[in-house]
């Protein structure tokens, strides 16, 4: 059920620190441990030092003891169905598989469901590193 994940992402978005872009984003991960981990974007006066909502949620998952992303929701106040940026797709891929569902939301709920394979075809992968 994705409704709880949507609601978690939406309330996480309220915690966004986005004074520069004024573009709050929220993300919520359901991990393999059954927990929901949330995040919002956190910007910085030195603009490149800011980061997206998705890595905040991933950091919370890892530090909370979760290890794998079962499904994930993303929401942005000012953009319906805001897709994770390219860098975030690779970050999500690290903890997901090609079938992992990502829910793109608006203020009313989940509007679009994509798999990681659809979001990041030809993801960087190699056995050389591990
Ligand atoms: N942003 C995210 O949090 N996630 C995305 O996938 C897209 C962009 C944030 C970064 C920045 O704080 C603001 O949205 C505008 O780019």
């Amino acid at each position: 059920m994705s409704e709880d994940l949507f609601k978690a992402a939406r309330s996480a978005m309220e915690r966004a620190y986005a004074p520069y872009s004024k573009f709050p984003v929220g993300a919520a991960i359901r991990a393999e441990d059954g927990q929901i981990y949330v995040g919002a974007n956190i910007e910085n006066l030195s603009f490149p030092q800011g980061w997206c909502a998705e890595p905040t949620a991933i950091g919370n998952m890892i530090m909370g003891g979760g290890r794998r992303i079962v499904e994930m929701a993303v929401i942005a106040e000012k953009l319906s169905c805001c897709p994770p940026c390219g860098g975030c797709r690779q970050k999500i891929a690290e903890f997901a598989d090609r079938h992992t569902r990502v829910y793109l939301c608006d203020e009313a709920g989940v509007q679009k469901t994509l798999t990681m394979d659809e979001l990041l075809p030809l993801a960087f992968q190699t056995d050389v590193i591990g």
Side-chain angles (χ1 to χ4, degrees):
M1 183 59 193
S2 54
E3 180 75 7
D4 58 345
L5 214 53
F6 155 67
K7 286 183 174 162
R10 191 178 57 182
S11 57
M13 183 171 65
E14 290 171 17
R15 300 252 164 109
Y17 177 76
Y20 307 108
S21 72
K22 297 184 171 45
F23 192 87
V25 182
I29 291 168
R30 192 188 319 282
E32 92 296 346
D33 62 359
Q35 300 298 308
I36 291 177
Y37 298 97
V38 299
N41 49 335
I42 302 175
E43 297 182 346
N44 192 279
L45 178 60
S46 177
F47 295 165
Q49 302 305 326
W51 64 88
C52 289
E54 295 89 335
T56 306
I58 290 170
N60 280 329
M61 176 186 80
I62 293 298
M63 295 315 297
R67 281 294 175 269
R68 300 294 299 170
I69 297 172
V70 174
E71 52 183 359
M72 184 162 189
V74 179
I75 184 169
E77 189 182 283
K78 295 180 177 171
L79 179 63
S80 175
C81 296
C82 177
C85 77
C88 285
R89 295 179 197 199
Q90 187 71 44
K91 289 185 175 83
I92 297 165
E94 183 77 19
F95 304 100
D97 65 41
R98 47 196 297 270
H99 305 294
T100 303
R101 291 180 303 276
V102 178
Y103 305 116
L104 308 185
C105 307
D106 67 10
E107 64 185 13
V110 174
Q111 299 301 338
K112 198 180 278 187
T113 302
L114 296 168
T115 64
M116 279 308 293
D117 201 34
E118 291 170 317
L119 270 175
L120 190 64
L122 293 175
F124 173 64
Q125 278 175 329
T126 174
D127 293 336
V128 174
I129 300 172

